[in-house]
Amino acid sequence: MTGRRLGRDFRLLWAGETISTVGSAVGGTALPLVALVGLQASTFEVALLAAVAWLPWLLVGLPAGAWVDRLPKRPVMAVCNTVSMAVFASVPLAQLAGVLSVPYLLGVALAAGTAKVFFSLAYRSYLPVLVEREQLLAANTRLQGSESAAQVGGPGLAGVLAAVFGPVSGILADAVSFGVSALCLRAIRQREPKPAVTQRVRLRTQVADGLRFVAGDRYLWTLVAFGAVSNLALNGYASIQVVFLARDLHAGPGTIGLVLAVSEVGGVVGALLIGRLATRFGTARTFLLCEAFAAPAMLIGPADGLVCFVIAGVAVSAGLVGSNVVAGAFRQGYCPPELFGRITACSAVVNYGTIPLGGLLGGILGQTLGVRETMLVMGAVQLAALAIPVFSPLRPLRDFPQRQGERDLV
């Protein structure tokens, strides 16, 4: 299936999200560099930046899912992009005014994280509006592939910008990318159907509907439980990797950007291969294979030397991107559209709720045990988390099941 067959509107969404993801990859590297290099932040403060960005999933994730189900998705996404643009554009202005500080950066991360909650829920619900169900795997592969490619170029670009113009320039680039993404959304012609509302239902009741669906479905619950433990480990690891590169391996901003960029090459490879792997082995088996490939590699990253860090990063990103593609396509084709925002929110509150905990844990352990030792601990946790899907109802399946009521699930 080609990008052309997926349609003009999908290509606009794809282009906008690719540009935005490049900006976010630049900003995601630039933000800790601003704190670390420009504001002399501690290991804990750098990890706290990563944690705060994901905290809104715990604070507003559940009601956000119900709100998104009530609203047209494209306007929600456009508003969120505009808010993110304004928030990140304020950082260079604060620096010019001499008021930039670690607490200010924490506020920026919190505000942008809140916008991301609503955007992510609307975005995942919106994709099935633009493409047919049988196109979801192809569409997710393209989106994830371009996201991985952006992750390759983004950190390197952040390093170059930091070396030439200062770390804060990367955050300005992120703000511009959100503006471009908002313009692409405005250019989409297809109009989504209005959410079906037969009677006024209390928000609490709608949230409960999503919780019951996830809790009662053995496949979704397996992915939620595994994602929670996995994200705890992954973010505990990622939240201090810039500190590890800068202080343990003595890498400068340009080198850090380059190393993080090369590490993400695996994500591009994973996105390119995932369609063939899913066809040959089945989507459920491919998910397990990808995760089993990624987890042990995390233990290589904290070894002495940039080469080991890069090898681990390539393997981890390849496995995670592959598993995310097939799992994302499964959810979009399996969950009832009218409940999708709430189901996604309920899953994400648990999955993403452990990300700030992982960041805090990474910062605390990094301060007490040491950065290298903490990364090894997080790698061990990720490896242990594999037991959840391996000893679950997913294990005997070749493919993920389709939507309930349309085909037998096993």
Side-chain angles (χ1 to χ4, degrees):
M1 179 177 298
T2 65
R4 183 174 299 278
R5 285 182 61 190
L6 285 167
R8 169 191 176 275
D9 288 339
F10 171 78
R11 293 197 300 275
L12 280 169
L13 178 70
W14 187 11
E17 284 315 293
T18 299
I19 293 167
S20 179
T21 303
V22 171
S24 295
V26 172
T29 302
L31 199 64
L33 282 176
V34 169
L36 195 63
V37 177
L39 301 175
Q40 308 302 313
S42 67
T43 298
F44 177 75
E45 287 173 327
V46 173
L48 190 60
L49 274 174
V52 165
W54 293 93
L55 185 61
W57 284 103
L58 283 174
L59 300 179
V60 300
L62 286 175
W67 285 325
V68 165
D69 276 341
R70 293 178 174 184
L71 299 169
K73 310 302 181 290
R74 190 174 63 147
V76 171
M77 294 160 64
V79 168
C80 291
N81 276 336
T82 303
V83 169
S84 297
M85 177 182 67
V87 166
F88 283 116
S90 75
V91 174
L93 295 177
Q95 185 185 53
L96 288 174
V99 297
L100 189 62
S101 63
V102 172
Y104 190 94
L105 291 181
L106 290 171
V108 166
L110 184 64
T114 302
K116 185 176 181 179
V117 169
F118 286 90
F119 180 91
S120 297
L121 294 172
Y123 172 62
R124 291 171 188 172
S125 302
Y126 188 57
L127 184 58
V129 173
L130 295 184
V131 302
E132 300 296 331
R133 188 189 305 181
E134 62 271 15
Q135 296 176 312
L136 285 173
L137 181 59
N140 277 285
T141 298
R142 283 159 175 75
L143 290 167
Q144 193 71 58
S146 60
E147 180 177 335
S148 299
Q151 293 293 342
V152 172
L157 180 57
V160 171
L161 290 173
V164 178
F165 302 107
V168 77
S169 61
I171 299 176
L172 180 60
D174 195 8
V176 172
S177 75
F178 278 111
V180 174
S181 181
L183 291 176
C184 288
L185 284 171
R186 286 179 60 87
I188 292 176
R189 294 173 184 164
Q190 183 168 332
R191 295 297 177 259
E192 60 191 291
K194 292 183 179 180
V197 179
T198 55
Q199 58 181 350
R200 190 68 176 175
V201 180
R202 296 174 64 183
L203 186 67
R204 185 171 60 185
T205 301
Q206 290 187 307
V207 170
D209 289 341
L211 286 170
R212 277 194 298 269
F213 190 96
V214 173
D217 189 283
R218 52 183 178 164
Y219 303 113
L220 291 175
W221 181 245
T222 295
L223 294 179
V224 167
F226 172 67
V229 181
S230 176
N231 284 335
L232 177 78
L234 289 168
N235 208 63
Y237 184 101
S239 67
I240 56 175
Q241 65 182 2
V242 171
V243 180
F244 173 69
L245 292 169
R247 294 180 179 169
D248 287 56
L249 300 185
H250 309 292
T255 303
I256 290 173
L258 179 61
V259 166
L260 293 178
V262 175
S263 298
E264 294 294 338
V265 169
V268 179
V269 175
L272 290 173
L273 295 180
I274 193 61
R276 296 178 183 177
L277 292 173
T279 300
R280 180 171 181 179
F281 299 108
T283 52
R285 289 178 186 171
T286 298
F287 173 84
L288 294 175
L289 286 171
C290 288
E291 292 291 349
F293 179 73
M298 286 180 64
L299 297 172
I300 303 173
D304 194 14
L306 292 174
V307 173
C308 290
F309 185 90
V310 169
I311 291 172
V314 169
V316 171
S317 62
L320 293 181
V321 166
S323 66
N324 284 339
V325 168
V326 291
F330 158 62
R331 290 189 183 96
Q332 288 166 341
Y334 178 73
C335 300
E338 68 276 8
L339 287 172
F340 191 83
R342 281 165 280 173
I343 292 169
T344 304
C346 295
S347 302
V349 165
V350 180
N351 285 174
Y352 297 161
T354 59
I355 290 180
L357 299 179
L360 290 173
L361 188 59
I364 293 170
L365 293 179
Q367 289 276 102
T368 55
L369 294 180
V371 174
R372 189 190 305 270
E373 292 78 6
T374 299
M375 292 172 73
L376 285 170
V377 168
M378 294 303 169
V381 173
Q382 177 71 5
L383 190 60
L386 279 176
I388 297 173
V390 168
F391 297 104
S392 78
L394 290 177
R395 183 179 179 180
L397 300 182
R398 182 186 187 278
D399 291 291
F400 281 115
Q402 296 187 16
R403 185 168 297 161
Q404 288 185 338
E406 297 188 4
R407 185 172 294 187
D408 292 338
L409 296 185
V410 220

